[in-house]
Amino acid sequence: MKAGIVGLPNVGKSTLFNCLSNAKAQSANFPFCTIEPNIGVVNVPDPRLEKLESLVNPEKVVPATVEIVDIAGLVKGASKGEGLGNQFLGNIRETDAIIHVLRCFENDNIIHVDGSVDPIRDKETIDIELQLKDLETTEKKLEKVKRAARTGNKEAVAEEAILLRIKAQLESGASVRAMDFSDEEREDIVNGLQLITDKPVLYVCNVDEGSAVSGNAYVEKVKESVANEKAEVIILAVGMEADINELDDYEERQMFLSDMGLEEPGSAVLIRATYKLLNLQTYFTAGVKEVRAWTINIGDSGPQAAGVIHTDFEKGFIRAEVIAYEDYVSFGSEAKVKEAGKLNVEGKNYIVNDGDVMNFLFNV
């Protein structure tokens, strides 16, 4: 599962990517600084993992990760191939979610591709290009479906109705993610279209240091603009995050954050928000050899969770021993949890909760 960082040229995408991944993507004050998409695998900050480590004292600890892709900046006309348009749209189509960076700060020393700071205009520039590309996809599909619908094919008639709704939505300048579909419509029709504007989105308002805690007028405009879009908005001072990232000493970082009125780096908030955006959650295995966070989809069953460790675990799943994270921490060890009768044995229909500490029994 991966999320793509997008935005106009020069809004802070590559600097943000560097903060998240500690990779050294080129960052410079001119458009098209990023040509090929940079990919980073980022650890998901999780204090629960640290707590389990302190209780179990394992040989190693393995956190959950999420893949972040830094995608080249987009310009007007991208849907028609302008700039790096075709490459940008191809790269973003391969991601599962979008991190859309918006410039929400003034700085005469940093060039804006359109000459002035206006995050709503910037957002609309990218939205329009993505909507135009989705409209092209929808119209091509509609041409094929209409022929079948004319013959009276019920499935084609139903699909045509959905496609016409999507077409109208895109032509009105709105994204598909804001639409409501039944589970059946989404599974049978919408998901197969792989529309870019249907992907979940997290808007990152890149602000100056003074606005890192509570935002500014630009941020408020962004929040108002996306209110009906089923999207998340977070505030991040990307330049300040880069400065924090340069500090090697943990205590120095904490002092820096404290002086700014922050409890943790904004990059940690962003990574967790991205994890949630991708519909992911974590369960743990905890033993003396290894304490590990495993990534699964929200709603996954016990066997599906076991399959993340090894496909044989899913195929031969018998049962799972489950301890709620809060119980593990409260009693301090697996043995004490068992003594207290708080270890549950669950079967194939068990839906895993975020934070469950699990052992699997299987037979292949």
Side-chain angles (χ1 to χ4, degrees):
M1 301 289 281
K2 65 175 117 174
I5 302 177
V6 305
L8 290 179
N10 238 23
V11 297
K13 300 185 307 302
S14 294
T15 304
L16 175 60
F17 175 83
N18 289 341
C19 292
L20 296 178
S21 68
N22 287 324
K24 297 301 176 186
Q26 184 187 11
S27 177
N29 187 22
F30 55 89
F32 299 131
C33 178
T34 305
I35 306 298
E36 294 297 327
N38 296 286
I39 300 175
V41 178
V42 183
N43 292 340
V44 178
D46 194 331
R48 298 174 302 181
L49 192 64
E50 296 170 16
K51 183 64 179 177
L52 289 172
E53 179 185 9
S54 70
L55 293 172
V56 178
N57 194 27
E59 293 177 15
K60 69 174 180 175
V61 177
V62 183
T65 60
V66 64
E67 199 167 284
I68 305 289
V69 185
D70 177 24
I71 297 172
L74 176 146
V75 295
K76 290 175 185 176
S79 59
K80 304 299 181 187
E82 294 293 327
L84 299 169
N86 290 330
Q87 183 174 330
F88 171 96
L89 294 165
N91 290 334
I92 195 172
R93 197 181 293 280
E94 293 173 3
T95 65
D96 302 291
I98 298 169
I99 301 169
H100 188 161
V101 182
L102 296 168
R103 178 172 169 176
C104 294
F105 66 91
E106 299 279 356
N107 187 330
D108 293 338
N109 295 320
I110 300 178
I111 301 163
H112 190 290
V113 71
D114 286 327
S116 63
V117 177
D118 185 344
I120 306 306
R121 177 202 58 209
D122 295 352
K123 173 186 175 302
E124 289 174 351
T125 296
I126 286 190
D127 282 351
I128 288 168
E129 297 305 324
L130 301 185
Q131 288 160 8
L132 286 171
K133 198 65 181 177
D134 279 353
L135 187 59
E136 181 184 309
T137 301
T138 303
E139 287 176 337
K140 284 180 180 176
K141 183 69 172 178
L142 196 52
E143 284 178 24
K144 297 177 182 177
V145 171
K146 276 183 175 178
R147 289 194 289 270
R150 289 193 200 103
T151 67
N153 182 300
K154 288 183 179 180
E155 289 181 359
V157 170
E159 185 171 3
E160 181 184 28
I162 297 293
L163 290 169
L164 288 170
R165 278 178 57 201
I166 292 172
K167 183 173 182 286
Q169 175 85 349
L170 293 167
E171 287 176 336
S172 73
S175 296
V176 176
R177 74 177 67 87
M179 299 179 70
D180 291 317
F181 300 103
S182 68
D183 292 341
E184 186 179 358
E185 288 171 341
R186 180 161 285 287
E187 188 174 336
D188 294 347
I189 299 167
V190 181
N191 289 346
L193 295 170
Q194 294 185 303
L195 299 174
I196 300 172
T197 67
D198 191 35
K199 296 179 186 292
V201 65
L202 173 69
Y203 291 102
V204 176
C205 294
N206 183 10
V207 300
D208 57 275
E209 282 190 19
S211 305
V213 176
S214 55
N216 55 30
Y218 289 130
V219 174
E220 293 309 310
K221 287 180 180 178
V222 171
K223 288 180 178 178
E224 185 179 333
S225 173
V226 306
N228 298 321
E229 205 179 304
K230 299 177 185 173
E232 298 291 326
V233 178
I234 68 168
I235 302 165
L236 203 65
V238 175
M240 184 185 75
E241 293 290 324
D243 291 339
I244 294 172
N245 212 40
E246 292 297 318
L247 299 173
D248 294 325
D249 186 76
Y250 174 79
E251 288 187 4
E252 281 186 38
R253 289 189 181 199
Q254 292 308 114
M255 286 177 62
F256 192 124
L257 290 167
S258 180
D259 289 344
M260 296 304 302
L262 299 169
E263 294 182 3
E264 64 177 342
S267 54
V269 177
L270 173 58
I271 294 166
R272 285 198 299 270
T274 301
Y275 197 67
K276 182 180 176 184
L277 190 71
L278 290 164
N279 198 43
L280 301 176
Q281 66 178 11
T282 299
Y283 77 87
F284 302 102
T285 51
V288 291
K289 290 284 187 186
E290 177 184 272
V291 167
R292 182 165 183 154
W294 299 90
T295 299
I296 59 172
N297 292 301
I298 294 171
D300 274 357
S301 65
Q304 288 172 315
V308 174
I309 298 176
H310 197 286
T311 53
D312 285 350
F313 281 34
E314 182 172 5
K315 291 175 186 174
F317 181 92
I318 299 172
R319 63 182 181 273
E321 296 177 345
V322 182
I323 303 170
Y325 169 78
E326 292 77 10
D327 288 337
Y328 201 109
V329 171
S330 176
F331 292 99
S333 71
E334 183 176 327
K336 289 181 180 177
V337 169
K338 287 180 178 178
E339 286 176 16
K342 292 290 187 178
L343 184 147
N344 297 320
V345 177
E346 304 289 354
K348 292 182 178 180
N349 295 325
Y350 177 69
I351 302 302
V352 179
N353 293 307
D354 186 49
D356 279 350
V357 182
M358 306 183 76
N359 289 320
F360 299 102
L361 284 80
F362 70 101
N363 183 28
V364 176

